[in-house]
Amino acid sequence: MKNHVEARNIVKRFGPTTALDGAGIAIAEGETHALVGRNGAGKSTLVSILTGLQRPDEGEVRFAGEAAPALGDRDAWRRRVACVYQKSTIIPALTVAENLFLNRQTTGRLINWRALRSRARELLETYEVDVDAAALAGDLGVEQRQLVEIARALSFGARFIILDEPTARLDGPAIERLFTRMRALREQGVTMMYISHHLDEVYEICQSVTVFRDARHVTTRPVEGLPHDELVAAMTGEATAAYETRPRTAGERVVLGASALTLAGRYREIDLSVRSGEVVGLAGSASSGKVSLAETLVGLRRADSGTVTIQGTPVKPGDVPAALRAGLGFVPEDRHHEGFVPLLSVGENATLPIAHRLGRFGTVSAARRRAEAVRMIEDLDIKTEGPDQPVGDLSGGNAQKVVFARALADDPAALVVINPTAGVDVKAKQALLGAVEDAVERGAGAVLVSDELDDLRICDRVLVMFHGRVVKDVPRGWTDHELVAVMEGIQE
Amino acid sequence: MTALTASTPRLRLARFRDLTLVPVIVLLLIAGAFLDPTFLTAGNLTNVLQQQAAISLLVLAEALILISGKFDLSLESIVGMAPAIAVMLVVPVSAGGFGIELPGLLVIPLCLLVGALIGAFNGFLIIKFQLSAFIVTLAMLIIVHGLQLGPTEGKTLFELPESILYLGSALWLGLPASIWIAGLLFAAGIAGLAYFRVGRSLYAIGGNSDAARAAGIRVDRVLWGVFILGGTLAALAGVLETGRLGAIGSNQGVGWIFMVFAAAVIGGVSMDGGKGTVLGALTGVLVIGLVQNLLTLKGVSGFWQPVVYGGIILIALMISRVAGGKAQD
Ligand SMILES: Nc1ncnc2c1ncn2[C@@H]1O[C@H](COP(=O)(O)OP(=O)(O)O)[C@@H](O)[C@H]1O
Ligand SMILES: [Mg+2]
């Protein structure tokens, strides 16, 4: 089989960092080829080179044996390669139709908006995307936005598509729908490059896999018959055992409780009690209300009715500081938005909630903060130049560890963790789950909300939500199939 | 799917968002008619438009720059400096010139050229040098004004060539030429941003410049063009203002930039880029012009007027917050 796409000996430097160091990839025509590697391995950099957004310092890209077009010739690139980038390229303030035809709204001089909308409708129909062409793109959900990106990418007629971590922000059913679509494309002979941290997805839809580590190409193998550990070992450079969940027995004391919580349109009549020494999972599809419920527990949202108690005392609804004072620690869903202040240092971010303990009369002792921060960096194995590095410079997994450090700084009695491992690589994921279990062993009670079944394995029991209600309390020992069936509302 | 069904009603409102000030304008016209009999006369309204013509060009320029996701404070200094320098290149030393005495007909092209060059220099520092637009244009606000004060030594230029006075004082078809000029430029701006690819590219760049680049838009080139256009429009505003007043004072344009931002922002142009329309910005100018006129007619002391402007800005912001439904930052 001939190589449809080939990148050879690519070197790309950003100032002092070498993002790619003689790395390459060869993708055969018609296959779905996975590219995996830890955060910062250089995957997205390769994507920007393969799509002509950046010029490699060295090396060459070839499509079907021919040299790649000149960098300025965007249209030529787009006829060869389509891409759904890791960072969304949808412009929220513009309509779906205009996003689909960005910078090619018309071939003539004047834009005919009506014609543009009908072309957009046709395009959406062709790719079976059920979205209103006249809607503002900013009003779409994550999945729909992504579908719009896919439709746009395909509309240039490229026979090669790159998907950079498309599933990081999708829930289970949406991922399934994406895969159905990808399989259909493959049947039409489309070649794909697929980037994901979820190795099970790689096994599910890819035929070959290339591993990058520290800016270099490590191996390229057929997926079939490739043992899981070997793949993980290639990514991390060492043998890494699969995560072992730990057994434990829950205490008696209820550290976090909810009674009759209701928030219109999100969830109804939720009762919950989390005991010390227990991890309770919350699972469900995107519309199940699990994230809203967790956000209510920590005070980011205010319920219409019902109460939240932390260590037996009711907390004022919708008041995060009150919840924190009552002994709560939490990891929010969107770490970039609510999790950390990117320009502040690792040390400052991690010690924000305990700043009051680090000095007197409103001052913060720099030396004590440093000491605390150094301890946290060690505890959670945060890869950083030191406590003074801004968190904004860290890779996804390490930034998330800082958010964890902050949540755990005050030794919380109750811990609420929302989608902690989204966009985080294998090893960092294990460290984060380990941190939750450590905290619980120290006597905390935890609520873990996750779209990832693997994360939920550390839970002593999983509450499955469906359309705003808890429909089942599943004890340890479930299989993926069982849990998904309940999440989808297919009760036995 | 939930997101989809929810989007429809919001969309309708969003489409009219740049017209949220229209009811305010109607309200002002009605209230004005009751408050003062001279307010709703053709003469007075023409007067309002003529007074706003120059500043409205700055609002147009700032709206384009803000929509592209950038920022320019230096526009107000160009309003005085560009015509002053152009005039000094033309008039004899006795009238305060440099003694170069270029032909008088060149004064407007020279003025526009000076504005364009300042815009190009801003663009160079912000786009090629990647400096913060806020700080660069803050520095340029001071420098450009200094470049007027230095050569003129702070004096007012009285003896001006005929050609620079013409546009700001002539009548075309019974209306001041400056109203025609501002009107035509706004019409061009509205059409350009709604119906041309370059115009749409400003929204793409302001909304997400990486996405714009990926879509093949030459982001740097477009942005540079916008800064140059902005400087040129500010220089033209200077020409109109010079013609209206018949002289170039050392503080021509000084302090305008606050009103310019206020007009653009209450007209629905977002400070974060990618949102707003030229039509919206125009309604912002009109609101401020009408309020100014009413206050003057009612004899409100000039010392108290700033309080009212500030209040108007806040109220307009609240109205558009309610109409737009989204939090502003
Ligand atoms: N535009 C950029 N400027 C500076 N450094 C960058 C840039 N893009 C990527 N990098 C760096 O290059 C390395 C590889 O990044 P990336 O390709 O995004 O990794 P991955 O997608 O595998 O997680 C990282 O160390 C990252 O910080
Ligand atoms: Mg990446």
Side-chain angles (χ1 to χ4, degrees):
Chain A
M1 231 192 308
K2 176 162 119 263
N3 282 334
H4 187 64
V5 181
E6 205 176 348
R8 272 192 234 143
N9 301 320
I10 305 284
V11 176
K12 180 74 193 175
R13 297 183 196 90
F14 295 105
T17 22
T18 306
L20 288 172
D21 185 7
I25 196 166
I27 302 175
E29 191 163 354
E31 73 170 347
T32 303
H33 194 115
L35 174 61
V36 298
R38 302 194 54 186
N39 296 121
K43 304 181 294 295
S44 297
T45 307
L46 182 71
V47 171
S48 66
I49 287 168
L50 283 178
T51 55
L53 286 190
Q54 272 169 346
R55 188 192 303 280
D57 298 333
E58 285 167 41
E60 61 164 353
V61 175
R62 299 182 82 81
F63 294 104
E66 286 171 32
L71 216 54
D73 192 355
R74 289 296 309 155
D75 282 336
W77 279 95
R78 290 202 281 187
R79 280 192 302 275
R80 289 170 177 77
V81 48
C83 184
V84 177
Y85 293 94
Q86 184 169 12
K87 290 190 189 131
S88 170
T89 57
I90 290 289
I91 298 172
L94 302 182
T95 62
V96 169
E98 191 167 8
N99 267 290
L100 285 170
F101 292 98
L102 202 59
N103 200 32
R104 46 177 186 144
Q105 292 96 335
T106 169
T107 46
R109 297 188 66 82
L110 281 177
I111 298 171
N112 178 342
W113 287 103
R114 188 199 296 259
L116 181 71
R117 273 194 297 275
S118 77
R119 273 199 294 159
R121 255 178 236 122
E122 253 166 58
L123 180 70
L124 291 169
E125 216 161 277
T126 315
Y127 295 104
E128 294 171 27
V129 177
D130 183 20
V131 170
D132 177 6
L136 278 187
D139 290 340
L140 301 185
V142 182
E143 185 187 3
Q144 279 118 4
R145 277 194 221 195
Q146 198 170 63
L147 292 177
V148 170
E149 291 203 68
I150 293 176
R152 173 171 70 189
L154 293 172
S155 66
F156 288 90
R159 303 290 293 157
F160 172 50
I161 303 174
I162 300 177
L163 297 139
D164 193 352
E165 297 197 30
T167 54
R169 300 186 56 203
L170 295 182
D171 65 6
I175 292 174
E176 269 318 308
R177 287 192 288 271
L178 174 68
F179 286 178
T180 311
R181 220 171 262 273
M182 287 176 65
R183 286 195 193 95
L185 287 171
R186 188 169 122 73
E187 266 160 35
Q188 293 160 23
V190 173
T191 309
M192 284 176 276
M193 183 170 115
Y194 180 77
I195 299 180
S196 177
H197 286 301
H198 304 282
L199 300 184
D200 44 334
E201 294 174 4
V202 170
Y203 281 95
E204 191 177 339
I205 51 159
C206 299
Q207 289 80 53
S208 333
V209 54
T210 289
V211 180
F212 276 14
R213 185 172 73 233
D214 297 338
R216 286 170 206 266
H217 174 273
V218 177
T219 182
T220 296
R221 302 272 292 272
V223 168
E224 209 171 84
L226 173 65
H228 199 283
D229 325 343
E230 227 169 281
L231 184 54
V232 174
M235 286 167 64
T236 57
E238 57 196 76
T240 310
Y243 189 79
E244 301 246 349
T245 61
R246 312 170 205 168
R248 63 188 154 251
T249 38
E252 284 305 313
R253 202 159 49 90
V254 173
V255 290
L256 177 63
S259 68
L261 274 187
T262 298
L263 178 59
R266 305 283 181 161
Y267 52 80
R268 273 167 299 157
E269 297 290 321
I270 305 279
D271 294 311
L272 185 76
S273 67
V274 180
R275 288 171 296 163
S276 129
E278 175 181 54
V279 185
V280 175
L282 275 185
S285 70
S287 60
S288 66
K290 62 180 192 300
V291 173
S292 312
L293 173 61
E295 289 178 344
T296 311
L297 294 176
V298 305
L300 282 171
R301 285 175 193 274
R302 181 203 290 262
D304 296 333
S305 59
T307 52
V308 175
T309 51
I310 294 174
Q311 303 206 76
T313 40
V315 282
K316 194 170 157 220
D319 186 349
V320 176
L324 296 181
R325 270 197 309 275
L328 179 98
F330 76 96
V331 175
E333 180 179 33
D334 185 348
R335 59 174 170 266
H336 298 283
H337 203 222
E338 291 143 355
F340 57 77
V341 187
L343 294 178
L344 286 188
S345 69
V346 171
E348 282 174 279
N349 267 292
T351 58
L352 269 180
I354 54 166
H356 61 95
R357 282 206 268 117
L358 298 178
R360 273 182 293 173
F361 310 121
T363 61
V364 176
S365 145
R368 287 172 66 185
R369 169 155 72 212
R370 252 191 104 79
E372 279 292 324
V374 168
R375 186 182 58 75
M376 292 176 181
I377 289 169
E378 269 171 25
D379 277 359
L380 286 167
D381 189 25
I382 302 173
K383 296 266 174 319
T384 166
E385 288 163 11
D388 302 322
Q389 193 182 16
V391 177
D393 289 358
L394 299 183
S395 76
N398 284 301
Q400 183 72 317
K401 285 183 183 174
V402 174
V403 180
F404 261 74
R406 195 179 87 172
L408 297 172
D410 226 358
D411 238 328
L415 184 63
V416 175
V417 182
I418 307 174
N419 276 334
T421 61
V424 161
D425 69 53
V426 188
K427 277 194 80 177
K429 191 178 284 190
Q430 298 198 351
L432 294 172
L433 294 177
V436 174
E437 294 209 278
D438 288 343
V440 169
E441 274 164 22
R442 288 196 300 266
V447 171
L448 170 65
V449 181
S450 185
D451 289 326
E452 311 238 356
L453 298 181
D454 275 347
D455 295 357
L456 294 171
R457 294 207 188 283
I458 68 165
C459 298
D460 299 291
R461 57 197 174 97
V462 177
L463 302 179
V464 182
M465 294 183 65
F466 185 70
H467 285 321
R469 282 181 178 280
V470 173
V471 289
K472 200 159 182 190
D473 186 339
V474 188
R476 240 183 226 275
W478 39 266
T479 64
D480 288 9
H481 181 76
E482 274 169 21
L483 207 62
V484 170
V486 191
M487 282 164 62
E488 303 267 312
I490 323 166
Q491 287 264 32
E492 63 277 14
Chain B
M1 284 298 114
T2 39
L4 262 191
T5 39
S7 76
T8 332
R10 177 96 70 64
L11 170 76
R12 303 254 151 76
L13 262 179
R15 206 171 264 164
F16 295 107
R17 219 194 128 181
D18 44 303
L19 298 180
T20 46
L21 285 185
V22 171
V24 178
I25 293 176
V26 173
L27 215 71
L28 277 172
L29 289 175
I30 296 173
F34 281 106
L35 285 173
D36 194 305
T38 51
F39 177 75
L40 214 55
T41 57
N44 184 53
L45 292 182
T46 308
N47 193 11
V48 172
L49 292 178
Q50 191 184 9
Q51 274 174 5
Q52 296 301 312
I55 200 170
S56 75
L57 294 187
L58 252 64
V59 175
L60 174 60
E62 197 68 68
L64 299 179
I65 295 170
L66 285 174
I67 288 171
S68 322
K70 295 290 176 194
F71 211 85
D72 193 346
L73 295 170
S74 68
L75 295 178
E76 72 161 38
S77 296
I78 300 176
V79 172
M81 180 270 200
I85 297 295
V87 163
M88 290 175 75
L89 286 169
V90 170
V91 295
V93 181
S94 60
F98 291 121
I100 304 175
E101 298 195 38
L102 295 174
L105 276 179
L106 282 183
V107 70
I108 290 182
L110 281 172
C111 174
L112 299 184
L113 183 68
V114 170
L117 285 176
I118 295 169
F121 186 64
N122 282 333
F124 172 75
L125 292 180
I126 293 164
I127 297 152
K128 294 288 160 191
F129 228 66
Q130 311 220 330
L131 300 180
S132 142
F134 182 83
I135 302 299
V136 165
T137 59
L138 180 64
M140 288 297 285
L141 169 88
I142 299 165
I143 293 172
V144 172
H145 189 54
L147 288 178
Q148 178 186 358
L149 293 181
T152 59
E153 296 179 324
K155 292 197 195 76
T156 301
L157 295 168
F158 288 108
E159 290 172 55
L160 307 180
E162 261 317 297
S163 61
I164 201 171
L165 294 174
Y166 174 72
L167 288 179
S169 53
L171 288 183
W172 292 347
L173 303 176
L175 270 183
S178 54
I179 298 182
W180 285 106
I181 292 172
L184 284 176
L185 287 171
F186 266 90
I190 291 167
L193 255 57
Y195 292 104
F196 287 85
R197 270 171 53 187
V198 272
R200 300 311 295 172
S201 73
L202 300 192
Y203 288 94
I205 293 169
N208 181 346
S209 62
D210 286 335
R213 209 165 270 129
I217 294 170
R218 295 177 194 279
V219 173
D220 291 0
R221 201 181 291 182
V222 173
L223 281 177
W224 211 337
V226 169
F227 274 107
I228 293 174
L229 181 62
T232 314
L233 283 170
L236 182 59
V239 172
L240 298 186
E241 191 68 358
T242 305
R244 189 170 74 89
L245 300 176
I248 304 172
S250 65
N251 57 1
Q252 175 162 308
V254 170
W256 283 18
I257 203 70
F258 301 106
M259 280 299 165
V260 168
F261 271 95
V265 171
I266 66 178
V269 177
S270 160
M271 301 277 278
D272 302 330
K275 272 184 231 154
T277 62
V278 170
L279 182 59
L282 178 62
T283 62
V285 180
L286 292 178
V287 165
I288 290 191
L290 290 175
V291 171
Q292 210 162 21
N293 181 255
L294 261 177
L295 294 179
T296 313
L297 284 180
K298 293 313 292 175
V300 174
S301 143
F303 299 112
W304 280 104
Q305 291 192 5
V307 179
V308 181
Y309 298 147
I312 298 280
I313 293 167
L314 292 181
I315 291 168
L317 276 179
M318 285 184 230
I319 291 175
S320 69
R321 164 77 177 82
V322 171
K326 278 197 187 126
Q328 299 159 341
D329 3 42

